[in-house]
C-alpha cells in the first residue's frame, strides 16, 4: 500500500456517509491509510451498543419503554485498535457483524440518548482532525464542518452481492447464510429505517459529493476520494 507523506499539510476531516454496504468502510479505511489519517467506523460503535443490548437482554424493555436506555448507555467504553473494536475491554470485532446485530442495529440507532452519547465520543475522536469517519450522519450532524463530505450510493442488488461475498468469506461452508434476496430485503429495510428515523436520519448533505459505486472498482472509488482530499489540502481550504 502506497502511503504518501502528508507532513506539514493541513489535516482535514473526511466524512463518508451512505446506505448499507455502499463501500464506505473499505473506501474510508484505504483513504485513511494513504493519507496517514485515523479511520473511525461509527457503524461499529452503533453495532457495539446493539451487541450490549442483546447481551444484557434489554431489547424487549427498550421497545416497551425507551426510557430504560439509560441502563444501556451508562458505562460504555468503545476503543479502536487498528481493525479491532473493543467494547468495555472485550474484542467484539466479529460478534458485531452477526446478523442478529444487523437486524436490531437500526432500532438501537434510532434512540436519541444513544445517538447523543456516541456523537460526543465521535467528536472527541475527531478533535485533532486528520480523520476519516464513516456512517450515516457524519457530514450532516457529527462534523457538519468537515472539509470533505462524501455520499456513497450503489444499487441495492449490487450492495446485497457485496454483503453476500463478505459473509461467504467469513463462513466458507455456507452455514447459516441468508440468500441474496433475503439480504437485499434486509438491506432495503435497514436503509428505510435509517432514512425515516426522527433523529439524524440518513441523508445527503447539500455540499456532499455523491458517488455511485455500483460500477466502480474499489481502487477507482478510493482514488476519487483521495484526489478530492488532496485538492482540498492543496487549496488550504
Ligand atoms: O456496514 P453497514 O453499511 O452494514 O452498516 P454500518 O456502517 O455497520 O452501520 C450499522 C447501522 O448503524 C446502520 O444501519 C445505522 O442504523 C447505524 N448507524 C447510524 O445510525 N449512524 C452512524 N453514523 C453509523 C451507523
Amino acid at each position: 500500500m502506497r502511503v504518501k507523506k502528508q507532513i506539514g499539510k493541513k489535516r482535514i476531516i473526511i466524512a463518508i456517509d451512505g446506505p448499507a454496504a455502499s463501500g464506505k468502510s473499505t473506501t474510508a479505511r484505504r483513504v485513511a491509510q494513504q493519507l496517514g489519517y485515523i479511520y473511525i467506523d461509527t457503524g461499529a460503535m452503533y453495532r457495539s451498543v446493539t451487541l450490549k443490548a442483546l447481551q444484557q437482554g434489554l431489547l424487549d424493555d427498550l421497545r416497551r419503554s425507551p426510557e430504560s436506555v439509560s441502563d444501556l448507555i451508562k458505562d460504555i467504553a468503545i476503543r479502536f485498535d487498528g481493525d479491532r473494536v473493543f467494547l468495555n475491554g472485550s474484542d467484539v470485532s466479529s460478534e458485531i457483524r452477526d446478523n442478529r446485530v444487523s437486524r436490531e442495529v437500526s432500532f438501537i440507532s434510532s434512540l436519541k440518548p444513544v445517538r447523543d452519547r456516541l456523537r460526543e465520543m465521535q467528536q472527541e475522536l475527531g478533535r485533532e482532525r486528520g480523520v476519516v469517519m464513516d456512517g450515516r450522519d457524519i457530514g450532516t450532524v457529527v462534523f457538519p464542518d468537515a472539509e470533505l463530505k462524501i455520499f456513497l450510493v450503489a444499487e441495492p442488488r449490487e450492495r446485497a452481492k457485496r454483503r453476500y461475498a463478505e459473509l461467504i468469506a467469513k463462513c466458507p461452508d455456507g452455514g447459516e447464510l441468508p440468500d441474496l434476496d433475503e439480504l437485499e430485503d434486509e438491506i432495503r429495510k435497514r436503509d428505510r429505517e435509517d432514512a425515516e428515523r426522527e433523529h439524524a436520519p440518513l441523508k445527503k448533505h447539500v455540499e456532499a459529493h455523491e458517488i455511485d459505486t455500483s460500477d466502480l472498482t474499489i481502487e477507482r472509488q478510493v482514488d476519487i476520494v483521495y484526489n478530492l482530499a488532496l485538492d482540498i489540502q492543496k487549496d488550504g481550504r
Side-chain angles (χ1 to χ4, degrees):
M1 172 66 53
R2 187 168 43 118
V3 178
K4 308 224 166 122
K5 281 230 164 88
Q6 295 297 317
I7 294 157
K9 288 256 172 65
K10 179 183 171 193
R11 293 172 72 74
I12 64 170
I13 291 187
I14 303 175
I16 304 186
D17 291 306
S22 54
K24 300 181 299 294
S25 55
T26 313
T27 308
R29 182 177 294 110
R30 293 204 192 176
V31 169
Q33 253 171 12
Q34 293 189 11
L35 290 169
Y37 280 16
I38 56 167
Y39 163 53
I40 306 290
D41 173 358
T42 67
M45 300 173 81
Y46 286 96
R47 285 172 178 274
S48 299
V49 178
T50 305
L51 179 66
K52 184 169 186 263
L54 284 162
Q55 285 170 341
Q56 298 188 339
L58 292 174
L59 273 151
D60 287 344
D61 279 0
L62 284 165
R63 284 216 161 79
R64 261 188 317 242
S65 66
E67 303 81 64
S68 57
V69 72
S70 52
D71 289 342
L72 178 62
I73 55 173
K74 70 168 188 256
D75 307 328
I76 268 210
I78 298 169
R79 186 170 58 80
F80 290 94
D81 184 357
D83 276 350
R84 315 305 296 171
V85 190
F86 292 82
L87 169 67
N88 294 337
S90 304
D91 185 343
V92 292
S93 318
S94 304
E95 265 178 293
I96 59 169
R97 306 286 158 200
D98 276 3
N99 243 348
R100 64 199 178 111
V101 173
S102 301
R103 275 194 292 267
E104 301 295 349
V105 64
S106 286
F107 165 61
I108 294 296
S109 310
S110 71
L111 303 170
K112 185 158 186 309
V114 171
R115 302 209 72 81
D116 290 345
R117 179 81 188 93
L118 292 193
R119 190 189 57 242
E120 270 170 27
M121 290 166 73
Q122 290 154 10
Q123 288 172 336
E124 180 56 29
L125 286 165
R127 199 166 45 90
E128 294 188 9
R129 308 188 92 79
V131 66
V132 185
M133 203 173 274
D134 79 336
R136 302 293 187 285
D137 60 343
I138 310 306
T140 48
V141 174
V142 181
F143 286 113
D145 66 339
E147 289 85 349
L148 178 57
K149 301 182 183 74
I150 304 288
F151 197 78
L152 290 188
V153 295
E155 294 300 329
R157 191 64 174 182
E158 178 57 33
R159 294 190 278 126
K161 284 186 194 161
R162 292 177 189 172
R163 198 39 50 95
Y164 191 72
E166 273 171 25
L167 292 173
I168 292 267
K170 268 202 317 200
C171 173
D173 64 1
E176 297 266 297
L177 275 188
D179 69 23
L180 208 52
D181 288 336
E182 274 176 84
L183 269 178
E184 186 177 335
D185 286 348
E186 278 175 19
I187 283 179
R188 283 182 187 273
K189 177 167 179 283
R190 191 142 62 86
D191 287 352
R192 207 167 39 244
E193 287 171 359
D194 289 345
E196 288 176 357
R197 70 180 172 222
E198 185 184 352
H199 309 292
L202 167 69
K203 67 167 183 257
K204 176 179 171 290
H205 189 287
V206 280
E207 288 166 10
H209 299 259
E210 179 167 323
I211 304 171
D212 186 335
T213 68
S214 306
D215 298 318
L216 294 181
T217 61
I218 298 282
E219 287 70 27
R220 180 78 191 111
Q221 72 203 44
V222 169
D223 243 35
I224 295 172
V225 178
Y226 177 67
N227 285 316
L228 285 166
L230 288 189
D231 282 348
I232 292 172
Q233 288 187 329
K234 206 162 47 209
D235 292 355
R237 274 189 281 153

